[in-house]
Each structure stands twice: as C-alpha cells, then as structure tokens.
Amino acid sequence: MRWRPLLFRLAVHGFGSAVLAALLLPILAVVPASLNYGSFISLPPETWSTRWYGRFFADREWLTSLVTSFQVAAIATVVSVVFGTAAALGLIRVGRRLRAALTGLILAPLIVPVIVTAVALYYTSRSWGLTGTVTGLAMAHVLMCLPFVVLNVGVSLGGLDPNWIRAAEGLGASPARVFMTVTLPTILPGLFGGAVFSLMTSFDEVVMSIFLAGIQAKTLPVKMWEVVRLEFTPILSVASTLLIGLTVVMFVLFRLAAARTAAGTETRP
Amino acid sequence: MTARGQSVRFAGISRSFGPVRALLTTDLEVSAGEFLTLLGPSGSGKTTLLNIAAGYLEPDTGRVLIGGRDVTDLPPRRRNIGMVFQNYALFPHLSVWENVAYGLRARGVPSAELERRTGAALELVQLAGYGGRAIRQLSGGQQQRVALARALVIEPDVLLMDEPLGALDRQLRQQVQLEIRRLHHAHGRTTIYVTHDQEEALVMSDRIAIMREGRIAQVGGGEELYLRPRRAFVAGFLGESNLLRGTVTATRDGRAVIAVPGLDRPIEGIAADGLAVGGTAAALVRPECVRLTHAPGASLTGQLVERVYLGELVALRLRLPNGLIILCRCLARDGVRGGDMWGVAWEPGDVRILPDDAPPEASTKIVGQ
Amino acid sequence: MLTAAASRRLVTGALLVPTVAFLAVAFVVPVGILLKLSLTEPAGPLSTYADILGSWVYTRVFRNTIVLGLMVTAIAVLLGYPTAYMLTRLKGFALTLAVYGVLFPLWISVLIRTFAWILLLEKHGPVNRMLVGTGILDAPAAFLFSNTGVLIGMVHVLLPYAILPIYANMLRIDSRLMLASDGLGASPWRTFRRVYLPLSMPGVGTGAVFVFLLSLGFFITPALLGGANNMTVAMLIENLVNDRLAWPLAAAASFLLLAAVLALLAVTARFVKLDTALEAR
C-alpha cells in the first residue's frame, strides 16, 4: 500500500534534482571549453591544454578590459555602499509614506527594463561627455547596485533595537561613537553583503555597459560581448571561467554575510 | 545610606503625540537619593515622563531640572543618567565587561580606573567573573543585573528604570525586587522607577506617584496611599477595595455621609478633599476592615457567595441586598464557615469617602453584569 | 542652538539627499529627457508612437516579445513548481545545497550563461551529439539562432525567479491542512487540487509575473541565441539606436516597453510582492 507515496516522492525528487542539475551544469560547460587546445571549441576538448589562459593574460585588450572592470566595480561599489548605507539609515527615520516613495525611487532602476535605462543614459551621457569613461560606466552601475545595498543594510537594520541607540546615548556616547560602536557593528554584515553583491553586479553588467563603454572603457563583459558576436574562441571560455571563479568567491562571501545578518536579527529579544 | 544622586524636578511638563495628550501639565519633585516609582496602567503617561527625564523625548512645555541644573535642552548624553530598559537593550555584539564599561569608555575614563570601576560594578551586582561572557549566554535575571551595572557604573545623577522586571517570570521578579531594593540602599542614587505592578511599587519605593490618563493622581508613601487615598481611582488601583458609590448627603468636621442606592443605611466615613453635598462619591472600605457578624440583629446583611482559602487568610465574597458584592478578608482561624447569611459591619473610622473618579471596572462589581 | 527635532531632521536629510540627488540626476533626468525626445517630433507629439504602433514590422516585434515571454513564463512555472515543492521536502544540508543551487546561477553573468548554451547547443555540440547518438534525432538540429535556442536560454536564466517565490509561498502553507483534507477522506490528488494548489497560487502568480516582466526587457540572450526572426523589443531598441540612429523611434519603443511593464505591475500589484522577490537573492 505504501508504494504510491514512495513513487510520488521519487518522481518529485527526480524531477526537482534534474531541474537543479539543468540550472547548474550548463554553466560549467565553459570550464572544459576553456581547456581546449585548438582554436575552435569542442566539448569535451579533443586535446586538453591551458594555453588559452596564457593567451588571455598575454593579450593587452583582454587584460585592459579586466582592469577596467575592476576599476568600474570598485568605484560603483564604494559609491553604492556609502550612498546606500546612508539612505538605508535615513529611510528608517522618515514616515511611512515618504519611506515607501523613496524606496520606490531606489528600486525603480531594477523595475525599468535595463535596455530603457541604457538608452536613456547613452543619449544623455553623450551630451554630458560621460560615454567611454570609467566614471560614467560606474555611475550607471551604481543604479543597479544601490538597491541591493539599501535592501541588505535595511534587513540588518531590522535587527537593530532602537533602545541600543538610546542606551548608548544615555551612557554618554556622542552620535559618532554611537554609530561606530552600535550601529555599524550591527549593520556590518548587511553592508558587507551589499558590497559583495554590488561588486558582482557591476562586474557582470552587460547591457548598459555595451552602450556606455565606447572604446575607452571596455569592461570584461563588453569585450566578451564583442568577441562572442564574431567568433567562439576558447579565450571567451577562459574569460567566462575566470568570471565564474570570481563569482564563486563572491557568492561564498555573501552567504557568510547573510548568515551573520540572520544571526544578528535572531539575537534581538 | 547616603544620598549620592541629585534631585529631579519636573516643572509644568506636558507632552502630546499628535492628537493624543500623553502627559498633561505635570509637576513632580524627587529628592536626592529617593526611590520614586511611577505607577499606573499602560497609557497613563509614566513612560513618557521617564523618557522626558532621560532626554529621549522633548516636553512640549515645562522644564526638567536635575540637581537644580536645567537639562531640558540637553541631549541624553549630557545629562549623566543611568537608564535600564524593559528589554535591557544590552549590546549583543559586546561582552558583559564591554557592556558595563561602555559608558566609561564614552567618558574617556583612564584604563586603570575603568578596570577598577567596571570590576566593582560587576561585583556589586554579583556578576564578578562573568565579564568575558557574551550577553546571550546569560539568563534573563543575569542580563537584568548587567543592565543595572551598566547604568550604575557611570555614577549617574539619577537612575531611570523602565519596567525592568517585565521580562522576568514571577518568582524571579520577586527576588530581583528585593535585590534592586538592596542595591538602592548600597548605591543611594536617586531612582525613578516605572511599573504597572503595584506589588513591585510597594516593595521597592520610598514614594509612589500613581498616574492616570496623563496626570499624577496622588504621590505618597505606599502606606499613605493605601490608607489615605484621595481619590477612588487610587484606592481601586492600589490593593483590593470595596467602593460603594453614591451621593454625598452631608459633610462636617472632616467627615461625610453618602447615600448608596439600594442600601437603606447611609454610609459615614472620613471625608477626602473635594467633596460637595449632592456630588458623587465612593465609600472605600478595605476588605480586611470588613467584619462579619451573625446575621440576626445586623443592620446590613450579605449572602456568602464565595469562599477562597488563602492560607492564613480567607477571601470571602458577599452579596448585599441591592446586589453589590462586598469583599472581605479575615484570618482563617477566625473560622467564618457554614452559614449563608452574615451581618456585614465596619468601623466608621475605617471608611473613607472619596471623590469618585474611578472607572466602574476598577471597583466593586455589580452581580449580574 | 538647534533644537533636537531640527537637528534630527537635518541628519535625516543629510543621509537621504545624496542618494535622492544621485538618482534624480543619473536616472530620473535621463529617462525624462528620453521621454521628451519621444514626444517632440516635428510631425506631432505622438507621431513616433503612431509610427511604431502603425507599423506591421514593429508591432510584430512587440507581439513576438509577448508570445516569447508567455512561453518562457509557462515553461518556467511548470518546471519551477515541482522543484519548489521538492525544496519544501528537503532538510538540513540537502536543503542548503539545493537552495544555493537555485541562487547561485543568479550570480553568474547572463552573458556567461548564454555563452554556455551556445557551446552546448551548437550544431556539433554535446546536446546534438547526445540526441543523435541516442537516436532521438536523425540529424543535428539547428537550436541556435532559432526560437528553441532563445526559449532554452531564457528559461534557464529566469527559472530561479519562478522557483523562489513559489517556494517561499509553499513554506507558508500549513501542512496540517493537508492532513485535515486527508482525514476527511479526500484522495491525495483531490487534496492537491482542492487545497494545496489554490494555496500555492499566490506564489505561482508572483513567480509568473516576475519571470514575464523580466522576459519583456530581455536583450542579451535573444540577441545571441536568436536569429533575425526572433527579434525582441530590446533588440529592436538597440537596433534603432546603434544601426539606424533613429533616436526618437527608439525612445518611443522604450516607453511602450516601460508602459507595458508598469501596466502589468499596476494590475498585479495586489498579489505581487516585488521586494520579496528581489530580496530572495
């Protein structure tokens, strides 16, 4: 009599596992692809080799794009973290309606299709002289990074008991000391998570970058986009694999920060 | 005990939140070293007053003076206060030691003195040796003591406590009440304590301010408030009481007589201030002042409806002919048992006639409701 | 000296102004300028919109995009529902692993995920070789530059957005309701159809709306995996800007797309919790 639920469970878990596998495994196809010897990608490689990694790091253009990506991501992250943290701290100090309106404004760049934002920014930044600059690109990325910083810091602020602030004030701490000793330690995991997410969002951003990069400020994804439309060389897989490696590191860091945030919000009575 | 705190004076303090008048114009003086409790139901304005003392809230009108110094416009950090919160508000990311040392670090106390004072504060609350613990490793009672040590270590001019025992279970609460009392004798600092628990207020306080609907109904020692309440609300709030409502028919020589509907006998007692002939009033008779006699010959009889054995006492409920319930407490060994109808009596000196401002639910209930 | 309330307001302002000012300059103003561009053609304020809506070529792109989006949404929900259900049955390490399995792909660049599918779906790639090798297909299929390729790629990219809201919703379903239904003599199928499915519909709705919304603006995946016949609105906009330099038309197409997104959001606002879906990452 028990075989029907068992069969059902088997079917559900089989199907679910297959879907999860289909989510993860295709991404990994780029890893063996990067280890091809020949100029054309075959999967699995006929001859295994790391020579395209050498090519990647010897190629000025690829390297420049990697450096540009780091520059843009660094600026976008710093700006997003500073502005976003301040905004998250400000949002809990205003009334409900203003908070809803401002949250809507901050989230808007995630709701408006990115192609629309990209075209709008491309059109205006041409007249402002910001196309093809690292600054212009970073500012565009901030639009996508900022919401995640605000959300992440907002979540960890939920674990901040307003009485901690009042207690610290009552004990004689100046506003700066209250921030450094009470607020900052509480929101640090959220801030860190937001920073990691910003870094990755900026590093991965393609659509706005395609429009805004110009010749001067090609990020790694822009360079990949240009190459992938022309040819499928193993060097693309190399770039992809490197980016996946970076993503794995960032993902782990983010999960650690998220675990800290969860622990922080639980300690509150 | 030597007073080491400062006096606190509230002069003409009031505060509204939007349309809600949380605190009507209030004056109150707390002398140096005194333990004063603000006692009242929720929404009575007691926490508002405490937060105004601490500087977490600004009053709409009036001034706050600590030790004669006007602190109304000073932020909390400049007031030298020690605050204990209901949920303790201990910093979860800091150790016990760092929590207690927090105020000293904020004041830039030199490290040798900081070590000494933090250690002494932990010793005072009997938590020496717990400095390295994380807050979450402590029990509720221990956390409460850390909060107290953190507030006391800065040698505050006034110690403010906002229902600090609310999170503890009943047994622990009674223990900590005595502990707080002991500590107050040891540190001698002016303390303003907020609670809605009358027993807590009676155990700990030098004086109690009973608050209601944004104003102080009466201030005095526990005994004074219990024995000589000035309003029916105070009598109903503190301890158990029989409040017989009626109309004042006469006042003379500090005594008053009221007519209670349904009772053929007027009730006479000591008159409180603010009574007028023809006005409404309530006669207060504490349950322990009610005497039961054998029914025949009594001028007022009641039917015994409930008898609860409490150990040394028995609590009785009797229904008067007009339906009013009278509470009575007497020593168990005096043996009120058996029998259905009892004479109900009291000494006129045990009755107080009070202006009636109590909501009906706080006083004696009418059967059948 | 400032009163406490005034200085508090000052601090609040100082915290919020940088972000608001930044968003105004870097987002609201550019979008506004683009909107103005779409409305200020010599031929009349709405002429660009009339051009797009009156053209068979352009409306076909919009129709394609919507049809593609609906197909992606349907497939993502059908795949996502049982997967989300499986997640609710997992515990401990297996659960953590499975949830990360859903979350991690979201972190990988869309470009890489799409590129990976190019490698897999190539004429002589692993997928074709497997299908031919096992006899399912006689000859390699042309997945790339076709609707199939775009569908596969987009479902792969958007599937987590379907799974996560459905999973979050299923977690809130009280399992005692199923026991109650069982106890009342309902068959498992009936219990599912009459109790579990209706209770899990809000999650399905959120997931579906989310996937559909994102699919409407999709650019990278259709541009790389699709052919000329699979043009989406985003590709059209890019084309108008970069190849034809038809800025006003591109602007009008952008705002038609945005209008569709906002309209859908407005209609579904009651049951779609956008921020919960965003926080899922």
Side-chain angles (χ1 to χ4, degrees):
Chain A
M1 277 310 287
R2 304 292 300 160
W3 61 271
R4 270 175 67 148
L6 190 72
L7 206 66
F8 173 73
R9 215 160 61 212
L10 217 65
V12 165
H13 284 249
F15 186 90
S17 309
V19 169
L20 287 183
L23 268 176
L24 285 170
L25 294 182
I27 301 170
L28 299 179
V30 299
V31 178
S34 72
L35 293 168
N36 267 284
Y37 179 81
S39 323
F40 297 101
I41 296 173
S42 58
L43 269 179
E46 281 155 20
T47 318
W48 296 74
S49 153
T50 57
R51 76 183 189 116
W52 289 100
Y53 284 83
R55 285 281 189 88
F56 180 90
F57 287 107
D59 188 313
R60 248 193 112 72
E61 277 193 33
W62 280 107
L63 273 185
T64 311
S65 71
L66 190 62
V67 171
T68 306
S69 269
F70 273 114
Q71 286 173 336
V72 171
I75 297 173
T77 301
V78 169
V79 174
S80 300
V81 166
V82 173
F83 282 24
T85 304
L89 289 169
L91 282 177
I92 56 167
R93 298 164 66 106
V94 300
R96 253 168 43 129
R97 293 177 69 174
L98 184 58
R99 178 163 48 208
L102 290 175
T103 308
L105 175 68
I106 291 165
L107 294 184
L110 296 183
I111 294 160
V112 173
V114 63
I115 185 82
V116 176
T117 316
V119 170
L121 287 181
Y122 184 38
Y123 187 75
T124 39
S125 65
R126 285 191 319 173
S127 46
W128 294 351
L130 278 171
T131 36
T133 65
V134 168
T135 320
L137 215 48
M139 292 305 109
H141 288 185
V142 169
L143 293 179
M144 312 304 287
C145 303
L146 197 62
F148 294 107
V149 176
V150 175
L151 287 176
N152 274 300
V153 175
V155 169
S156 36
L157 270 177
L160 180 78
D161 184 341
N163 276 348
W164 295 342
I165 307 272
R166 302 161 118 213
E169 282 173 356
L171 290 166
S174 63
R177 178 180 278 269
V178 173
F179 180 78
M180 293 305 291
T181 58
V182 181
T183 313
L184 193 60
T186 312
I187 62 171
L188 208 55
L191 201 150
F192 181 75
V196 168
F197 205 91
S198 291
L199 205 64
M200 213 53 235
T201 303
S202 169
F203 226 94
D204 284 347
E205 211 293 319
V206 207
V207 179
M208 291 196 294
S209 307
I210 292 168
F211 283 89
L212 300 172
I215 315 160
Q216 302 295 322
K218 271 183 207 165
T219 58
L220 189 61
V222 175
K223 173 74 179 161
M224 287 171 67
W225 164 258
E226 286 179 1
V227 173
V228 80
R229 300 188 101 184
L230 300 174
E231 49 174 357
F232 305 146
T233 85
I235 210 165
L236 268 173
S237 311
V238 170
S240 302
T241 308
L242 291 175
L243 213 44
I244 290 177
L246 179 69
T247 310
V248 171
V249 173
M250 291 293 160
F251 182 74
V252 171
L253 288 177
F254 182 81
R255 295 323 314 177
L256 291 176
R260 280 288 298 276
T261 307
T265 35
E266 271 163 29
T267 52
R268 194 175 160 185
Chain B
M1 181 181 111
T2 49
R4 281 180 293 172
Q6 298 283 355
S7 65
V8 180
R9 198 173 139 220
F10 300 93
I13 295 288
S14 72
R15 170 75 200 212
S16 301
F17 296 102
V20 182
R21 304 195 63 189
L23 201 58
L24 284 74
T25 308
T26 298
D27 295 279
L28 180 65
E29 274 220 58
V30 187
S31 30
E34 186 181 18
F35 194 121
L36 180 124
T37 296
L38 301 175
L39 174 67
S42 62
S44 59
K46 54 195 193 307
T47 298
T48 304
L49 193 57
L50 191 78
N51 281 331
I52 287 173
Y56 298 130
L57 273 180
E58 282 180 279
D60 295 337
T61 65
R63 314 303 294 173
V64 179
L65 289 89
I66 297 179
R69 182 176 67 132
D70 187 338
V71 298
T72 319
D73 297 321
L74 292 183
R77 66 173 190 277
R78 301 245 168 81
R79 293 192 180 195
N80 200 34
I81 48 153
M83 179 90 178
V84 177
F85 295 85
Q86 181 167 17
N87 65 356
Y88 317 137
L90 296 172
F91 307 122
H93 56 288
L94 299 180
S95 65
V96 168
W97 178 273
E98 283 303 321
N99 263 281
V100 175
Y102 190 94
L104 299 176
R105 289 201 194 284
R107 284 165 171 70
V109 169
S111 62
E113 190 189 340
L114 181 137
E115 298 275 321
R116 182 178 59 72
R117 283 169 66 178
T118 307
L122 282 174
E123 212 156 303
L124 183 70
V125 297
Q126 295 167 339
L127 283 175
Y130 283 73
R133 300 271 182 105
I135 296 303
R136 63 174 180 282
Q137 293 173 303
L138 301 185
S139 70
Q142 288 169 330
Q143 292 189 12
Q144 209 280 329
R145 272 140 66 193
V146 175
L148 202 55
R150 183 178 70 175
L152 283 173
V153 74
I154 59 171
E155 297 174 359
D157 289 338
V158 51
L159 181 63
L160 305 171
M161 304 175 88
D162 186 4
E163 308 222 14
L165 309 186
L168 304 180
D169 63 49
R170 188 171 166 76
Q171 204 177 355
L172 192 55
R173 207 153 61 209
Q174 289 173 337
Q175 201 179 317
V176 179
Q177 281 169 14
L178 296 172
E179 176 74 8
I180 290 177
R181 186 79 194 139
R182 179 187 73 77
L183 281 172
H184 181 247
H185 281 289
H187 63 69
R189 292 192 185 278
T190 317
T191 302
I192 302 179
Y193 188 100
V194 163
T195 184
H196 61 266
D197 183 322
Q198 48 163 309
E199 184 195 315
E200 216 167 285
L202 288 169
V203 168
M204 293 192 286
S205 321
D206 297 324
R207 282 195 306 156
I208 300 170
I210 296 192
M211 296 192 68
R212 181 198 183 196
E213 290 172 356
R215 59 173 109 228
I216 294 176
Q218 191 173 347
V219 193
E223 200 171 337
E224 180 191 341
L225 293 175
Y226 187 81
L227 294 178
R228 291 186 293 280
R230 285 208 295 262
R231 311 182 151 273
F233 171 77
V234 174
F237 194 74
L238 207 63
E240 283 198 281
S241 55
N242 294 301
L243 287 167
L244 303 161
R245 300 192 140 76
T247 313
V248 181
T249 55
T251 60
R252 70 184 131 76
D253 303 337
R255 303 187 69 79
V257 180
I258 65 168
V260 177
L263 289 191
D264 46 13
R265 200 187 66 156
I267 298 178
E268 188 189 343
I270 301 162
D273 292 340
L275 290 178
V277 174
T280 57
L284 164 69
V285 188
R286 293 291 183 186
E288 65 274 19
C289 299
V290 174
R291 268 187 304 109
L292 299 187
T293 61
H294 287 286
S299 61
L300 186 60
T301 55
Q303 183 190 11
L304 186 63
V305 290
E306 190 183 75
R307 180 178 185 279
V308 178
Y309 180 70
L310 298 171
E312 78 269 36
L313 294 176
V314 280
L316 307 162
R317 288 158 66 85
L318 297 111
R319 187 187 294 132
L320 299 185
N322 69 344
L324 279 178
I325 290 287
I326 287 283
L327 307 176
C328 167
R329 281 182 183 228
C330 52
L331 288 173
R333 61 165 188 203
D334 290 352
V336 176
R337 64 186 72 224
D340 195 30
M341 297 301 293
W342 292 84
V344 177
W346 48 69
E347 297 296 327
D350 287 336
V351 180
R352 301 189 81 81
I353 310 294
L354 310 171
D356 183 17
D357 61 344
E361 67 267 26
S363 60
T364 314
K365 292 181 183 57
I366 292 171
V367 176
Q369 261 190 333
Chain C
M1 204 177 117
L2 285 171
T3 67
S7 72
R8 196 188 133 81
R9 267 200 296 278
L10 207 68
V11 171
T12 307
L15 289 170
L16 287 168
V17 160
T19 293
V20 173
F22 175 81
L23 287 172
V25 173
F27 182 71
V28 178
V29 167
V31 171
I33 290 177
L34 195 70
L35 180 64
K36 190 173 156 234
L37 181 70
S38 77
L39 293 171
T40 50
E41 274 298 272
L46 289 173
S47 62
T48 49
Y49 293 89
D51 284 351
I52 286 184
L53 294 175
S55 153
W56 180 80
V57 181
Y58 294 144
T59 48
R60 202 186 57 154
V61 171
F62 274 86
R63 208 173 50 239
N64 272 350
T65 308
I66 290 168
V67 170
L68 180 65
L70 290 175
M71 286 168 71
V72 169
T73 305
I75 297 172
V77 167
L78 287 177
L79 293 178
Y81 193 90
T83 312
Y85 180 75
M86 179 190 76
L87 290 182
T88 64
R89 310 267 84 188
L90 294 178
K91 280 192 198 69
F93 183 66
L95 174 66
T96 309
L97 207 66
V99 169
Y100 286 5
V102 179
L103 291 174
F104 180 66
L106 288 176
W107 283 65
I108 299 287
S109 165
V110 176
L111 192 58
I112 293 177
R113 282 187 274 173
T114 306
F115 176 58
W117 279 110
I118 293 179
L119 298 178
L120 292 170
L121 294 176
E122 255 193 313
K123 189 144 201 168
H124 304 290
V127 172
N128 262 324
R129 260 183 290 144
M130 200 184 75
L131 291 175
V132 174
T134 54
I136 296 173
L137 289 180
D138 297 331
F143 289 121
L144 289 188
F145 316 119
S146 77
N147 236 342
T148 321
V150 178
L151 264 183
I152 293 175
M154 281 179 66
V155 168
H156 183 240
V157 172
L158 293 173
L159 187 53
Y161 292 107
I163 296 177
L164 292 171
I166 299 175
Y167 170 57
N169 179 256
M170 284 175 173
L171 280 183
R172 286 195 300 270
I173 297 178
D174 189 340
S175 59
R176 284 171 303 183
L177 293 174
M178 260 61 70
L179 294 180
S181 173
D182 200 47
L184 292 169
S187 67
W189 168 243
R190 194 179 167 78
T191 299
F192 171 75
R193 208 163 40 91
R194 301 298 297 272
V195 181
Y196 199 80
L197 188 64
L199 286 174
S200 57
M201 278 323 275
V204 172
T206 304
V209 168
F210 213 56
V211 169
F212 185 68
L213 276 181
L214 289 169
S215 75
L216 285 184
F218 242 58
F219 175 64
I220 298 293
T221 309
L224 289 180
L225 293 176
N229 289 328
N230 311 108
M231 195 178 251
T232 63
V233 178
M235 288 163 72
L236 172 69
I237 295 170
E238 193 264 353
N239 182 269
L240 289 171
V241 167
N242 284 337
D243 298 344
R244 309 207 2 225
L245 302 175
W247 277 101
L249 277 184
S254 296
F255 283 100
L256 285 172
L257 176 62
L258 181 56
V261 167
L262 292 181
L264 189 63
L265 269 181
V267 171
T268 57
R270 257 183 306 142
F271 67 93
V272 175
K273 295 260 183 298
L274 222 120
D275 44 343
T276 55
L278 289 173
E279 271 171 39
R281 298 205 197 185

